[in-house]
Amino acid sequence: MEKKRILVADDSETITTLLTTALESGGYLVTTATDGYETYELGKTGVFDLVILDQLMPGLLGLEVIDRWQAEGVTTPVIVLSGVDDDRTVVDSFDRGAVDFVRKPFRVPELLARVRHRLSV
Amino acid sequence: MTEVAQLATLIIFAANALLVAGLIALKTTHRIRGRQQAKRKRRYMGLVSRHIAYPNCTDPITPAMATDPAFLDAVIDVRNAVVGPEVETLRGIVDRHGVMAHQIRRLRSSFPLGRRLRAAVALAELGDETAAGVLIHHLSDREPEIRIQAAKGLGRMGWTPAIDVIVGRFATETPWVRARFADTLLGFGSAATWPLLAYITVNHRFEREGPVAAIRALAALGDDQATQTLIEVLHEATDPEVKIATVETLGALGSPRAVPVLRNQIRSPDWRIRAKTVTALGEIGDVGSLDLLARALTDSDWWVRRNAAAALAKVGGGVDRLYEALIGKDRFAADAAAESLADAGELAAARRRIGEGRPRERDMTLVGHMSGDRP
Amino acid sequence: MIGDLLGIVGEGILIYFILMQLYLAYLAARSAAVLRRSHHLGRFGRITEMLSSRTSPPVSIVIPAYNEVAGIVDSVRSMSLVRYPRLELVIVNDGSTDGTLETLVAALSLERVTIPYRGDIPTAEIRGIYRGRGATDLTVIDKANGGRGDALNAGLNAARYPYALCTDADVILDPECLMRAMQRVVEDRERTVAVGGNVRPLNGCRLELGHLVDAEVPKGIIERMQVLEYLRTFVASRPAWSDMNAHPLVSGAFGVWKRSAALAVGGFTRGHMGEDMDLTMRLHRYHADRGIPYRIVYEPSAVIWTEVPSTRRVLRRQRIRWHRGLMSAVRDFMPMTFNPRYGTLGLVTWPAMVLFEYLAPMIEAAGWLIIPLALALGTLNSSSLLWLAAIAFGVGLANSLISLMLDESYGYFNSPADASRLLTMALIENLGLRQMTVVWRIRALFGGRTVRAWGDMERRGVAGLATGP
C-alpha cells in the first residue's frame, strides 16, 4: 500500500522535528512548512492526505490558511494545533471544517492515534 | 602637559587595539560555537523525539551528550511541547545519564549567573521529587530569577509542602517575583487556596502588593472555597487596590453569594472599584442586578459606563436594557450599549435578519446607530 | 592677544570633545553592567508564563498611519503575531490620501461601528471608527489629518487598556518585545510610567513574511553609519540612563506608556517635531514637581526594527527635524537644566543632552574655524593640538568599539564580513560622515518654519523591504 502523505505546518522547529520523527517512524511521508504562505501553497497541490496545522504562524494564521484552501476547493482534512488556550480558536477551527483540534503541549501517542484514526476513516 | 597627553594617547590606542582584537575573537568564537551547538541540538532533538515516540527506541545516548548544554536545551524544548507520560520518559533519559546530578551541582556552586540559571531551568522543567529539596532551598536564592525557577519546578511537580514556603515569601519578594510565584501556585491546584487565604486575612490591612498578588492568584485558581473569606476581606479592606483585586476575583469565581457585598461597592466613591464591580456582577450573571447595572450606564465615570454596558450583555435580560439605552438621550451610554450589543453578536444577527427581509424594529435601530444615523 | 585667546578657545574645544567622549564612555561602562544581567536573564529566564498570567496587564498597541497603503495590511499581520495575552490593535488613519483606510477595510473586512469614544485629549475631527471581528482585536480610527502626535492622541483616547504601546506602522516587532517591556511594568506597576525599547535599523536585514530571518549590516555607507549610531545610543547609552532613572527620551518607534499618566500630562503635543522626547520630559517634570514617585525605564531586550534613511537627502531631512525637535525641547525644559529637583536627570543626563547634543554642532563648527586660525597665528601649540585631537578620536573610537562589543550578546551581525564592515565604519565615520551631520544640524538652527508632520521616509511598506532598493 502506498504511504500516506502528511503536511506538518508549525513555525517551531521543536514541533516539526518531534512530529516528523514520530510520524515517519509510524510509516508516513512527512513534509514540513514553517509559515502560512508556504503551508497554503503546499496544501493547494492537494497531494496530502492530512494536514497538521499550527494556528499561530507568520504570514497567514492557520485558520486563514484553511479559509483560503476552502475558497480554492482543497478538501484535505486538517487537524488544528494550537498553543493558544482560548475557546474561540477551538470553535472557529471546527466552524471552518477542521476535523480535529489538539492543544499544545500534547501527548505524542495520542496525536499519532488521532492521525491513524483520521486516515482510516 | 605633552607627556601626559602622549601617555594618555598611547593607553587609549592600546586599549582600542585590544578591543578590536577582542571583538574579532568574540565574533569568531560565537559564530563557530553557535553553529556547532545549533547543529548538535538539531541532531539531539531528533534523537530525543525518537525516544519519545517509541519508548523501546535503542538509539544510544552517550555520556558526552549528558554534559553537552545543547542536549539539555533539546530535551527542555521537547519537554515543553509534550505532556503526560512522555515527560516521564524524558526524565528517565536525563536521570539515567546523570544530567540532573550535574545540574544540581551547578546550581549549588557559585558558578556565573548564566550557568546557574540554566541549571535552575533544567531542574524546574525536568526535575522530579528527588530535586524538590534542592528547589525548596533555592526559593531563597540570592538571584530572583532562580527563585522563580525553583517555585516553578515545585509547582510543576505539585510538591505541596512548598506552598507555605512560597506564600510565606510573598511579603518580602519583589512584585515581579511575586507575580511569577502566584502563577506557579496554579500547579498546586486547590491545595494552595487555604494558605493563600490565611496569608491574605492576616496581611491585607498592613500591606498592599503581596495580598493583591495573592488575591489575583485565587482568581486564577478558580476555587469557589475562597468566596466566603474574600467576602469578609471586602468588608474589612481599606486599601483600594486590595478592594479592586477582591472584587475582580469574586467576579471570576462567579459565586452568587458574593452579590450582596458587591452591590454595596457600587456606591464606592472610587471609580475604579465601581468599574470592577459592574464587571464582576456581569460575570456572576446576577439577574437581580439588572436595574443597578442599567443605572451604572449613566455613572459619572466613562469606564464604569462602558463596563456596565459590557456586563449587561452577559446577564439574562440585559440585552433589552441595552436596546433601551440605545434610544436614550445619553450619547456615550448609547455608543457603549451599541458596542456591547455588537460584541454579543446582536449586530451580526440584526444584519442577517435585515438581509433575509424580516428585521425586527430594534434591528433597524442598532444598525442605524452603528452607521452613524442619529434620531 | 587675540591669537592667545583663540589658542585657549581652540584647546577648550578639544577638551570639550574629550569630556563628551568620556561621558559616553561612562554610560557605556554602566550599560555594560546592566546588559550583562539582562543578557543572562534574556537567554535563560523564561517569561512565557506572562502569556497565561492574570498578573500581565492588558495592552493596546497604537499605530498611527499616514499614507501607508503599501504596507499597512502586512504590518497589521506582523503586529498580530506579537506574543502577549490581552492585546488590542488601534490603528489611527491620520487623514491619509492614498486609500490606506479603504485598503484596511477591504483586506480585513472591517465594519463601521460606533464605539464609546472619549475625547480625553482634543484631536482633529474623528470621521469614523471601524472594527474587525477576526482573530485580532482591531479598531481603526479614521480622523482628519493632524500629524503623528495628534494621531497618537486619538489612539490613546480610543484605547481600552491601561497601557499603550505607541509605535509606527513600518516597524518590525520582535514577537517577544512586548512581554519583555511589560516585565518592567509588572516589576513596579505603581511607579513605572513609560518603558522604551531597543530600536535597531532594519536596512539590510532579511525578512520573511514580516519576520526577521537574519540581521546583516546594510550595504550603503549612510546606512552603516546609522547602525553604529543606533548601537551607541540604544545599546551603550540608554541602559545606563534607565539605570539612573534619568532617561530623557523614550523613542517614538517603541514606547509603552501608562495611559493614565500620558493623559494626565495632556498626551502628545500636536505638531511637535520631537513629540517623544517632549512627552518623556513632561512626564519627568509632572511627577518630580508633585513629588510622585515614578520611573521611566528602557528595556534592552525589547527589540524592534525600523527602516532608517538610505540616502543623504532623506537623512538630512530627518536630522534637521530631529535637531529642531531637540531645540524646542531645550527651550521648553530649560528650567530643568542643572536643577537638583529633577535628580540625576536634572543634574546629569539632561544637561548632557543640552551640552553634548544640542550645542555640539555649534562648538564643533567653531572648532573648524578657530583651530586652523590659531594654528596659522602660531598661538596654538601644534603638538599639544595633535595630542588632544588624538585623544578625542581615540576615546570616540573606543566608544564605538565598546558598543559593538556590548551588542555581541544579542547575536546579530554574526558573520566575519559584518564585523569587518562595522569596524571599518567605526574608523572612517569621523572622516567626513559625522561632519556632514554637523552641517545639517547647524542648518536646523536657521529658518524654515515648514513643519513636516509626518516623518521623512518614503514609505514602501514592510513587505517591500526584503527586496527594497
Side-chain angles (χ1 to χ4, degrees), chain A residues 6 8 14-30 52 106-113 115-116, chain B residues 45-54 82 86:
Chain A
I6 301 178
V8 173
T14 315
I15 303 283
T16 50
T17 311
L18 183 63
L19 286 179
T20 308
T21 312
L23 292 168
E24 277 177 352
S25 316
Y28 303 104
L29 280 176
V30 182
I52 299 177
F106 51 85
R107 288 218 46 213
V108 178
E110 184 184 312
L111 187 73
L112 287 176
V115 168
R116 269 199 306 278
Chain B
M45 213 125 80
L47 177 68
V48 174
S49 300
R50 283 196 294 281
H51 278 272
I52 286 268
Y54 299 93
V82 299
E86 283 87 313

Side-chain angles (χ1 to χ4, degrees), chain C residues 234-286:
Chain C
F234 286 93
V235 177
S237 294
R238 295 203 180 177
W241 281 351
S242 166
D243 199 35
M244 300 185 274
N245 193 17
H247 186 2
L249 171 56
V250 170
S251 284
F254 184 103
V256 175
W257 308 89
K258 189 176 188 174
R259 237 184 99 258
S260 58
L263 293 185
V265 299
F268 291 92
T269 303
R270 190 175 167 169
H272 200 289
M273 271 179 285
E275 78 283 331
D276 43 3
M277 179 185 278
D278 176 65
L279 180 58
T280 316
M281 288 301 287
R282 278 189 290 123
L283 282 173
H284 276 294
R285 188 171 62 192
Y286 178 87

Side-chain angles (χ1 to χ4, degrees), chain B residues 167 171 197-208 210-211 242:
Chain B
V167 174
L197 286 173
Y199 168 76
I200 294 163
T201 320
V202 174
N203 292 292
H204 77 82
R205 281 185 216 81
F206 313 112
E207 50 158 331
R208 162 183 291 176
V242 171

Side-chain angles (χ1 to χ4, degrees), chain B residues 28-46:
Chain B
T28 318
T29 45
H30 275 179
R31 184 179 161 81
I32 295 172
R33 238 199 6 221
R35 274 190 178 172
Q36 288 175 344
Q37 280 206 357
K39 215 166 101 189
R40 289 204 307 276
K41 183 175 165 187
R42 213 166 299 138
R43 204 176 72 223
Y44 296 145
M45 213 125 80

Side-chain angles (χ1 to χ4, degrees), chain C residues 44-65:
Chain C
F44 300 110
R46 307 278 157 130
I47 52 169
T48 43
E49 279 79 7
M50 280 188 92
L51 285 177
S52 55
S53 177
R54 281 182 171 264
T55 56
S56 312
V59 179
S60 307
I61 303 188
V62 177
I63 308 152

